[in-house]
Amino acid sequence: VICTGQYGLISSKISKAGVCLQEGVEILIEDNLETSLDCAEKGIEMILLDKPWNQQEDLPKNITRVKDWKEIMEKLNGN
């Protein structure tokens, strides 16, 4: 687990996308649309939890919208 401190008073200078690239993360589960778009732009596969605050119709191909953790597990298991 890597904490980027995005919601604390003191945050790291590296974005989640930067951490993923630095650590070789290939897939990230996220509920923030801006973070998902940033990561997807850098080639990271995203699983985006469907929430009222992250609605956008045209998502990049490497962002998959899911409704719950059951769908996340299905996606991770290749179903």
Side-chain angles (χ1 to χ4, degrees):
V1 175
I2 299 169
C3 181
T4 59
Q6 290 181 308
Y7 294 103
L9 295 175
I10 301 171
S11 66
S12 67
K13 302 229 187 274
I14 189 167
S15 66
K16 284 187 182 181
V19 170
C20 289
L21 293 172
Q22 180 178 303
E23 298 296 324
V25 173
E26 296 177 7
I27 188 166
L28 183 66
I29 301 165
E30 180 62 56
D31 71 343
N32 182 284
L33 181 61
E34 289 181 24
T35 299
S36 295
L37 292 170
D38 183 40
C39 290
E41 183 179 284
K42 292 169 176 63
I44 300 160
E45 184 177 350
M46 299 300 300
I47 296 178
L48 180 64
L49 278 163
D50 189 27
K51 298 294 178 185
W53 58 83
N54 67 19
Q55 298 303 303
Q56 178 175 319
E57 290 186 29
D58 297 324
L59 294 173
K61 291 182 181 182
N62 57 339
I63 297 180
T64 302
R65 186 179 296 278
V66 296
K67 66 179 179 184
D68 57 27
W69 281 96
K70 181 180 181 210
E71 282 191 23
I72 291 170
M73 294 307 296
E74 289 171 357
K75 171 74 176 157
L76 292 174
N77 289 321
N79 297 327

